[in-house]
Each structure stands twice: as structure tokens, then as C-alpha cells.
Amino acid sequence: MHDFTEMPDILRTDILSYKFDIFWQSNDEIKNLEPRPVLVVSSTFQPDSQEEEQLKKMLSACRLEASTFHIMQLQPESQISFHQLKDHLQLKSIVLLGVSPVQLGVSAYLMPHQLSRFGNCNWIVTESLRVLLERPEIKTHLWQYGLKPAFVDQVYG
């Protein structure tokens, strides 16, 4: 028989691990960015590299002006809050290059290399810039079913 004279400490029980706190904490990096409708989040690459050149070509093909997007690089272990990004930047589209939606606090399955909708936002989740350089078939699929519908055809306005 259980003795109920001692109250269990349920308020100190980990329901969500402290590692998820980052998704609710204020982020100065986000606050310092001006609102722009498109965010490209990439795994890290070096300045003046083939990867950076590839990214510039992709953005140019999408007919995106520099004033309409931000580029952010994330380490594999880094996390940043999607809801804060979306609210502050007034995002309409997000492109993840070698970055998992989980790193943005989103646990949703989004079709790879093509346009998806989640949270009233266009999502394009694909491989890193390095992989896109090495795998032209993925790059072609990404263009036909992801980037072109989102930014050239503007299927969602």
C-alpha cells in the first residue's frame, strides 16, 4: 500500500528537457534582423567557396532580390526558433539546405527537395550545398518541384 502523506514533486519532473528552452528564449540574433519574406538556412560553408557560388546562382535563378531574403548558417548542433523567426521576419518562405526542421523546433515531416506548406509558410527542405553540387539529379528535382514553384511560379502567392 502507498503512503500518500508525502506529496510527489511533479513540478520538478522533466516533461520537456531543458535543451528545448532555446525555442522559447529571446534571441538577439533574430531581433537584429530586419523583416524579409524569405529565409535561407544552410549548413556552414566557406566564403568564396563553390557552395557559396552555388547558393548565389540558386537565389538568382529564383529571381530574388537581396532585399527580400536573409541567409543564415547553422552548425549541426545549433538550434533556432522557427516561430520567432517567422514572427519577427514576417516569413513567407524558408529554405533549409542541409539543415533539419528539428533544428528550428519543428517536428513535421516535409517532403524533401520540393515545396511543402507548414505553419502558413512555404518550406523547401533539401540537402547541403555540397551535396547539391555533387548530385545534379537532386538539384534538378529541387528546381522543378521546390524553388521554381515557390519563387518563379509563386504557386502560393
Side-chain angles (χ1 to χ4, degrees):
M1 184 166 243
H2 193 290
D3 181 9
F4 290 103
T5 57
E6 190 174 318
M7 191 68 140
D9 191 3
I10 61 171
L11 296 178
R12 297 190 202 285
T13 302
D14 270 349
I15 295 172
L16 287 177
S17 168
Y18 69 89
K19 70 181 180 178
F20 295 108
D21 289 352
I22 192 163
F23 298 122
W24 287 275
Q25 295 170 345
S26 181
N27 185 313
D28 291 334
E29 183 180 353
I30 295 171
K31 287 181 181 179
N32 292 330
L33 298 174
E34 65 185 54
R36 293 185 181 171
V38 178
L39 177 64
V40 178
V41 185
S42 175
S43 54
T44 57
F45 57 86
Q46 295 298 313
D48 301 318
S49 63
Q50 287 182 308
E51 289 93 344
E52 183 180 53
E53 194 59 37
Q54 177 65 48
L55 179 57
K56 287 178 182 178
K57 287 178 184 177
M58 288 169 55
L59 295 171
S60 175
C62 291
R63 303 178 189 159
L64 293 172
E65 299 290 329
S67 63
T68 64
F69 64 85
H70 287 290
I71 298 172
M72 182 180 290
Q73 294 184 49
L74 275 186
Q75 297 286 341
E77 67 281 353
S78 296
Q79 296 176 315
I80 194 162
S81 169
F82 168 67
H83 77 88
Q84 289 181 26
L85 288 167
K86 183 176 184 279
D87 292 347
H88 181 74
L89 298 178
Q90 300 168 14
L91 288 181
K92 293 186 169 124
S93 297
I94 187 163
V95 179
L96 301 182
L97 302 167
V99 173
S100 168
V102 173
Q103 288 179 257
L104 279 67
V106 173
S107 293
Y109 181 75
L110 304 168
M111 292 299 291
H113 327 300
Q114 62 192 49
L115 181 59
S116 299
R117 292 283 295 168
F118 178 80
N120 289 327
C121 198
N122 293 332
W123 286 73
I124 302 170
V125 181
T126 193
E127 298 289 344
S128 68
L129 291 164
R130 170 60 45 204
V131 171
L132 292 176
L133 284 166
E134 296 167 357
R135 304 273 311 271
E137 72 279 11
I138 293 176
K139 188 166 62 172
T140 299
H141 187 92
L142 171 65
W143 173 250
Q144 290 177 339
Y145 300 101
L147 299 174
K148 185 175 180 283
F151 300 114
V152 177
D153 302 336
Q154 298 182 4
V155 296
Y156 291 113

